[in-house]
Each structure stands twice: as structure tokens, then as C-alpha cells.
Amino acid sequence: MAIFPIRTFGDPVLRAKAEPVDPIDERVRRLVEDMIETMYDAPGVGLAAPQIGVSKQVFVFDAGEGPKVVINPMLVETSGEWEFEEGCLSVPGYFWPIRRAAFARVTGWDEHGREVEYAGDELLGRVLQHEYDHLQGMLLLERLAPDVRKEALRHLRERTLGLGS
Ligand code: NI
């Protein structure tokens, strides 16, 4: 197992749609182990493969019941609406109120090729949607209201270029 550096805003891997995983083999199981270790080390409640530079459809999370793995996830159901303060390991140091569905259901496969399904509201629903977005090449910035997003991007670009504080 290994801890990987987490890619941050500005890295193109975070903007790419991740590739489906096939087959689910030993390589994928090693990737999942590394992702879980990296997530706990960060620490974070979720991590998507592109965040360690691997453009594959895999995410891991721990919403309080131990580490869970979803490969080739499908977001099959959402309902309601909930605004909540949200951050991302790839945009460290920032939190914004983000509006998302209150409830989400995701299906997919685990690292042994077994079908899995996770559904819930509050933290679990939020993490499922956030990590699913990562695999579509989408950061939480794209969920911000246009004016808030513009200001956030200006701030981040300045910081990335070393012009801001
Ligand atoms: Ni994130």
C-alpha cells in the first residue's frame, strides 16, 4: 500500500471524464488499497481515482461505517435539495455552501466484482454525489452559483500562479 500525493485544482486529470474499469483485477484492487490509505491519511471522507492521477471510474469513501468502494458507479436516483458547506481535498483550504440533491442512490461494483448499492441523505448522499462528480471531471466549483464561482476561480488562479496569498 502507498500514500499518493493528491492532485489539486489546475491539474488536467481532474477535468477529464474517467475511463470505465474492465476487468476488475488485481491491479484495481491495489489501486483501491492505495486510495483508501491516501483518503485516511489526508484525511478525507471520500477520494476519487483522478485525485491521485488515475483517470479510472473508481471512488472510495467512509461516511462513518468503514471504507467503501464503488467502481463504474451509476447515479441512479436523486431527490430533494440541500445546501451544505462542502470542501474538497483537491481544492484544499476552501469551503463553500453547495446546493445538491438531499438524497442520492449509487450502484456499481466493489473491488471483487460484486454489485454494490449505496443510498442515503445527509453526509452519505453528499459524498456519493461529490465523488461521482469527480469521475465526470467535475469539481465542486462547478456547483457554485455563477457569481460565487467567478470569485472563487479568480482567487484560486491567483493562488496557483503565486500572485495571491
Ligand atoms: Ni473532492
Side-chain angles (χ1 to χ4, degrees), residues 71-118:
I71 296 168
N72 298 338
M74 286 176 288
L75 184 59
V76 294
E77 186 186 351
T78 57
S79 62
E81 202 176 72
W82 182 39
E83 190 173 88
F84 185 72
E85 195 88 350
E86 193 174 319
C88 176
L89 294 172
S90 292
V91 195
Y94 290 88
F95 292 88
W96 294 281
I98 307 268
R99 193 179 298 273
R100 292 188 188 271
F103 172 89
R105 182 187 307 278
V106 164
T107 61
W109 287 265
D110 72 8
E111 73 276 33
H112 304 291
R114 295 178 296 221
E115 282 189 58
V116 292
E117 177 176 314
Y118 296 102

Side-chain angles (χ1 to χ4, degrees), residues 25-77:
D25 58 10
E26 197 50 44
R27 252 179 71 204
V28 177
R29 285 186 279 279
R30 275 201 300 275
L31 170 66
V32 163
E33 282 186 5
D34 291 340
M35 287 174 62
I36 290 170
E37 196 173 13
T38 301
M39 172 180 76
Y40 285 129
D41 178 70
V45 293
L47 188 78
Q51 292 183 278
I52 59 165
V54 179
S55 195
K56 293 279 185 194
Q57 296 261 342
V58 182
F59 71 74
V60 298
F61 67 96
D62 184 344
E65 296 183 345
K68 310 289 184 202
V69 179
V70 190
I71 296 168
N72 298 338
M74 286 176 288
L75 184 59
V76 294
E77 186 186 351

